Amino acid sequence: MKRRDFVQTVGLASASGVFLSADQLAAKTRPDGAVAATQKPGTPQEVPGTGEVPDWVKSMLESDMDGIGPDGKPDPNYNATGTGHARRNVDPNEAHEMTLTAEEQAILDGSEGDIKARVMKTVVAFGNAFGATHLVDLGGAPHTSMYNAPLFMEPMIEVFEKCADAGLTSYAPFTVNPRAYDLYNVQNQPHDQAQVFEGYPLQPRLEYVLMRLGARDFNTRSCMCYLPEVGNRPEPGTMVAWAESSATNFGNSGLGLRTNRLACGMELMCALVGKAPYFGLMTDEGRMATWVVDVRTTKEPDWGVLGAAIGIKMVEDVSYIIGVDQYFEGGITPENLHKLKAMGASTASNGAVGLYHVENVTPDAIEKGRDLLAEGYQTYVVDDAEIARIYDNFPNLWGTPDANPTRLFIGCPHNTYHEVVYWGRKITEELERRGQDKVALPIHVFVSVVTRNHVLDDHPLLVRDMKRAGMNFTNMCTLMFTGMKGFSDREFCVTNSNKTRKYSSARYFPDDVLLEVAMTGKIPKSAL
């Protein structure tokens, strides 16, 4: 069995409806008294399903997680594992041994119950697949991307219901990605509600089991778990178990945390034992940069497009970015954090990047500088022409290519406080300048409840004017909204998020173009 196939199956082990069984995982004691757990060769159980792709998600076939191209076929040049950093020195044909402490081995052997033993076995098997040397104790708090519950999630939900029934909880209260829908502010008409209830019939079960396992309250639901309003922001160097591509990307890069890109469910497995396998982006070696990205644009780059360029080129390799520190005076601040958010989310969706360094800006780069460069690193120059080339190659996936936009999306990942204020002022001031009362099409501002409340507390009149102008606040997941059945057939969205563009049929435009779209409901000819 190819290592990549095995890795993908282990990442979905809990989704198969069963934990790894004892005959799939054996343990042995070394002469020195340390214990090594070994994954026995063999094919793990496959996840049941037809493999057929519904018509309404055909525009989402190109994914950073499975190497599937726009034609729906595997890309033969795609070598990423999806964790953010491949352990290329692991022989896929040989079993790997992870050293466990006596306490960890005891848990694996059932000292704290059969269910926790199965969780530990799954975590160990995952680590063995990637050549992890041992387990590390986790700090801070987890972040999970297990947030939506269509029917195919039932096996995963059942697994964690068993964990909750056994009394297992996370080592710390954890944050959760935003909900897949919003029945209060967006999908509040009967036909919308019916589609939500039909599309996510298991949502109450998922919410209940997450609460039992230690999830924080709904007001903190956000893919931007590290914002001050949400508060999941561990200290640099903390080992954590995070899922969600943009959160792990910023956590590793902007916060200096240490986590791999964990698949949905694996982060909660790690949370329930308080440990994670030590490999990849958790190691000093795995955080070394194999690329220098030399940004030579004549003005501040479009951060979403720059991120796309890096993601496409790096796939999941670590880069050391130079030439942009001038746009971050004073380091990473609440006022400029959105730049790294936009760039990083784009690297993680247009590729599978789990970590980047920015010279003189991000924590690892400030501490170690160019000592982070691995021997034999390559250089990628991004100038004005390269930015234009990347942008011009973004496809138009609208079913009716020359249609007028029907919705405008601001924020994915969720907006920061300063982004909400920026867009609120930008839209309302332009309306006043033009003598208009409302925007020409619905504008959805994606933001957590606690961040929106912060804006409301500080700028109540601005929030009033935004709502009167036709700007709508919603705390749901942008991508799940665009993925609703039939959405791409009836809606033609424009967005400032290159992540949304990558994962949906939405079209990406710079801020000045989006402002014109907001006022007129049409894409200016100069942008076509």
Side-chain angles (χ1 to χ4, degrees), residues 258-316:
R258 296 203 170 200
T259 179
N260 289 302
R261 282 170 46 118
L262 299 178
C264 172
M266 189 57 66
E267 81 283 45
L268 287 181
M269 290 285 176
C270 292
L272 295 180
V273 294
K275 297 175 183 290
Y278 184 72
F279 73 93
L281 299 180
M282 302 182 102
T283 69
D284 290 341
E285 173 195 9
R287 297 176 75 84
M288 297 289 286
T290 55
W291 286 87
V292 166
V293 177
D294 187 358
V295 181
R296 299 181 183 178
T297 54
T298 57
K299 61 181 180 180
E300 183 170 347
D302 182 306
W303 297 100
V305 179
L306 174 59
I310 295 171
I312 293 168
K313 190 74 172 181
M314 308 296 110
V315 184
E316 64 177 352

Side-chain angles (χ1 to χ4, degrees), residues 60-246:
M60 302 175 73
L61 282 174
E62 190 175 354
S63 167
D64 62 321
M65 296 304 292
D66 56 18
I68 299 297
D71 59 358
K73 298 178 181 179
D75 179 355
N77 298 314
Y78 191 91
N79 297 314
T81 64
T83 64
H85 186 77
R87 285 296 298 267
R88 297 182 178 88
N89 60 325
V90 177
D91 187 339
N93 298 311
E94 293 184 4
H96 175 75
E97 298 181 353
M98 178 194 298
T99 300
L100 301 180
T101 66
E103 177 189 7
E104 291 163 352
Q105 181 63 41
I107 295 174
L108 189 146
D109 290 339
S111 66
E112 297 187 24
D114 176 62
I115 295 298
K116 192 166 185 178
R118 295 187 183 198
V119 174
M120 179 65 85
K121 290 173 183 178
T122 305
V123 171
V124 169
F126 175 70
N128 280 344
F130 285 94
T133 55
H134 61 285
L135 298 176
V136 293
D137 293 329
L138 299 175
H143 178 75
T144 182
S145 61
M146 200 169 96
Y147 62 105
N148 61 324
L151 282 174
F152 65 77
M153 282 292 290
E154 186 163 26
M156 184 87 83
I157 294 172
E158 288 177 349
V159 164
F160 286 106
E161 286 174 335
K162 292 178 181 178
C163 294
D165 290 344
L168 301 187
T169 58
S170 169
Y171 69 90
F174 57 89
T175 47
V176 184
N177 256 20
R179 256 186 170 180
Y181 54 82
D182 181 359
L183 296 175
Y184 291 92
N185 303 294
V186 181
Q187 298 147 308
N188 50 18
Q189 297 303 308
H191 67 281
D192 295 318
Q193 294 180 36
Q195 192 173 74
V196 167
F197 295 140
E198 292 168 7
Y200 301 102
L202 305 179
Q203 198 69 31
R205 283 178 61 186
L206 174 61
E207 307 292 8
Y208 182 43
V209 75
L210 289 176
M211 179 273 289
R212 296 170 67 197
L213 295 176
R216 291 178 54 191
D217 69 86
F218 284 92
N219 290 329
T220 61
R221 290 286 181 95
S222 179
C223 45
M224 294 280 282
C225 63
Y226 48 85
L227 289 181
E229 294 87 357
V230 180
N232 190 353
R233 190 185 179 94
E235 293 296 316
T238 304
M239 301 285 185
V240 296
W242 282 14
E244 209 281 324
S245 63
S246 71

Side-chain angles (χ1 to χ4, degrees), residues 428-501:
T428 56
E429 289 172 3
E430 184 65 15
L431 284 172
E432 183 177 3
R433 189 183 74 81
R434 297 190 184 210
Q436 291 181 221
D437 293 327
K438 294 180 71 70
V439 292
L441 74 171
I443 297 179
H444 300 301
V445 181
F446 295 86
V447 61
S448 67
V449 172
V450 287
T451 303
R452 180 209 63 189
N453 289 347
H454 183 187
V455 179
L456 180 60
D457 287 345
D458 289 357
H459 303 281
L461 295 182
L462 176 63
V463 171
R464 178 202 66 185
D465 293 343
M466 291 171 70
K467 292 182 71 65
R468 288 179 177 177
M471 301 180 73
N472 179 278
F473 295 95
T474 176
N475 67 337
M476 69 174 163
C477 172
T478 319
L479 303 179
M480 291 298 101
F481 184 29
T482 60
M484 293 295 289
K485 184 177 181 180
F487 186 91
S488 60
D489 296 329
R490 65 180 183 272
E491 299 285 358
F492 305 101
C493 300
V494 292
T495 180
N496 72 333
S497 165
N498 197 22
K499 178 178 181 178
T500 298
R501 178 207 67 81

